[in-house]
Amino acid sequence: MRSAIIVDSTSSLPDELKNHPDVYEVTLKIAFKDGEVMDDTTNEMSLKHFYHKMVSVAELPTSSQPEPADYYRIMDQLVAKGYDEVYGVFMSSKLSGTFQTARMVMQEYQDRINVHLIDTKAVSIIIAHEVKELIRLIESGYKAEQIIPAMNQMIQDSEIYVFIEDLNNLVKGGRAKAASAFIGSVLKIYPILRFEDDGTVDVFEKIRTEGKIKKSWLRIYEEARAQFGDRLHLGFAHGDAYDKAIEFRDFFLENYPNEDIIIRYLTPVLGVHGGKGALGMGILVDADLD
């Protein structure tokens, strides 16, 4: 049984997953008002250019999902290569039409290849972790009827919390009133956002200092560790705020020195909404299949 995986670019896949022979990626794009169009990317030079430019423009760039032709091209390749099944693992359907477009195209191939679609209800490092786990389950010999429920449970167990440092992007994007954002900036009140179970994003709490954010997130992590034990992992994703991510990582390592904590960039499509300086904590839970 040959299995392939299609994932979208917001997942920030590390090179070992991006270069896996059975992993294929569709790419979202962003467009600035001056006409510059960028691929959603994990290339550090391109990311730094994006974040530097984004803070200097009056209007936020717009994002666009992959074209249907991108899915058709990959699906034709998979059929030609003799794959028996394909798993589509995509960002939350509540945040983008990427999942819906994938479903529309991929289901046309059901008579030639078994299609399994997974709405991660998340973004970024959560998706990357789920792809890593999916590869492990496939290579361990599990079948789709075992894998899909395990993936859905993993999606339900995993969590993302994000704090927004620069409220200007929320204002530019129409997600916060200018007056309230100004007050928040002056008082240094950070909104902490959380991905809900249905894949939407809502305010979890508002905190005045980064120190209190660290303590709040440590409590969340400890509660998750008590529940999931060694199945739990931790990761941080940032909007061109590597030093801050290191600071938070080191804070957690003071308490849990053996934890292997990953740090990755938020890709441009996610950075449009989070802004420069945003930091997300991912509670990453392994599938419960040995």
Side-chain angles (χ1 to χ4, degrees):
M1 175 75 73
R2 291 192 66 195
S3 304
I5 300 168
I6 303 177
V7 64
D8 70 73
S9 59
T10 67
S11 59
S12 296
L13 290 184
D15 288 343
E16 63 266 24
L17 294 183
K18 190 183 289 284
N19 297 327
H20 191 286
D22 298 322
V23 174
Y24 297 77
E25 185 176 86
V26 290
T27 304
L28 286 81
K29 296 180 183 294
I30 62 161
F32 286 95
K33 297 301 181 182
D34 64 4
E36 180 182 5
V37 177
M38 288 183 62
D39 283 342
D40 200 39
T41 181
T42 56
N43 178 273
E44 187 167 343
M45 185 176 296
S46 297
L47 284 161
K48 287 187 176 297
H49 166 73
F50 161 75
Y51 279 103
H52 176 76
K53 181 170 182 175
M54 183 179 61
V55 298
S56 65
V57 297
E59 292 185 66
L60 288 179
T62 56
S63 59
S64 58
Q65 61 174 294
E67 296 291 334
D70 298 334
Y71 299 98
Y72 282 114
R73 174 179 52 80
I74 292 175
M75 293 299 292
D76 286 340
Q77 288 181 35
L78 299 184
V79 171
K81 290 179 178 181
Y83 280 98
D84 301 293
E85 63 180 0
V86 55
Y87 293 84
V89 185
F90 302 106
M91 68 185 295
S92 172
S93 62
K94 299 293 186 179
L95 303 181
S96 168
T98 301
F99 177 84
Q100 288 87 345
T101 301
R103 178 170 56 189
M104 176 187 72
V105 174
M106 293 174 67
Q107 286 184 340
E108 293 183 22
Y109 289 77
Q110 283 280 21
D111 60 336
R112 285 161 283 176
I113 185 172
N114 291 323
V115 174
H116 312 291
L117 289 159
I118 299 170
D119 180 355
T120 67
K121 302 179 182 178
V123 294
S124 192
I125 55 177
I126 293 285
I127 304 178
H129 180 73
E130 288 163 359
V131 169
K132 180 180 178 181
E133 279 294 280
L134 177 56
I135 291 172
R136 178 178 71 83
L137 297 178
I138 291 171
E139 293 180 349
S140 296
Y142 289 102
K143 306 302 182 185
E145 55 267 27
Q146 299 165 293
I147 290 175
I148 297 300
M151 291 289 291
N152 288 335
Q153 184 62 51
M154 183 167 53
I155 289 167
Q156 182 177 326
D157 293 338
S158 300
E159 295 185 291
I160 304 177
Y161 298 84
V162 183
F163 90 76
I164 306 297
E165 181 176 75
D166 184 356
L167 299 178
N168 286 325
N169 277 43
L170 295 179
V171 175
K172 291 178 183 178
R175 289 171 170 79
K177 294 181 179 178
S180 62
F182 173 75
I183 293 171
S185 298
V186 170
L187 298 178
K188 283 295 182 184
I189 297 175
Y190 301 107
I192 309 299
L193 309 180
R194 174 184 172 179
F195 277 71
E196 303 296 335
D197 291 342
D198 64 354
T200 58
V201 180
D202 203 354
V203 176
F204 175 68
E205 59 184 342
K206 298 178 181 178
I207 299 180
R208 284 188 181 275
T209 68
E210 290 187 13
K212 290 183 177 180
I213 295 172
K214 291 175 185 175
K215 292 178 181 178
S216 174
W217 284 6
L218 179 62
R219 173 183 52 78
I220 292 169
Y221 169 81
E222 289 176 336
E223 290 173 354
R225 177 154 291 283
Q227 181 178 0
F228 301 113
D230 292 341
R231 291 173 53 215
L232 179 70
H233 307 282
L234 186 65
F236 293 103
H238 64 92
D240 199 28
Y242 180 74
D243 290 345
K244 185 186 300 178
I246 290 292
E247 180 185 328
F248 272 67
R249 182 202 66 182
D250 291 348
F251 171 77
F252 275 79
L253 289 177
E254 289 176 7
N255 297 274
Y256 295 91
N258 296 322
E259 180 63 270
D260 184 16
I261 302 174
I262 64 170
I263 295 177
R264 300 205 186 105
Y265 262 94
L266 291 167
T267 64
V269 165
L270 302 179
V272 167
H273 305 292
K276 184 177 174 64
L279 183 68
M281 177 181 74
I283 299 295
L284 315 173
V285 182
D286 290 346
D288 192 14
L289 283 176
D290 296 326

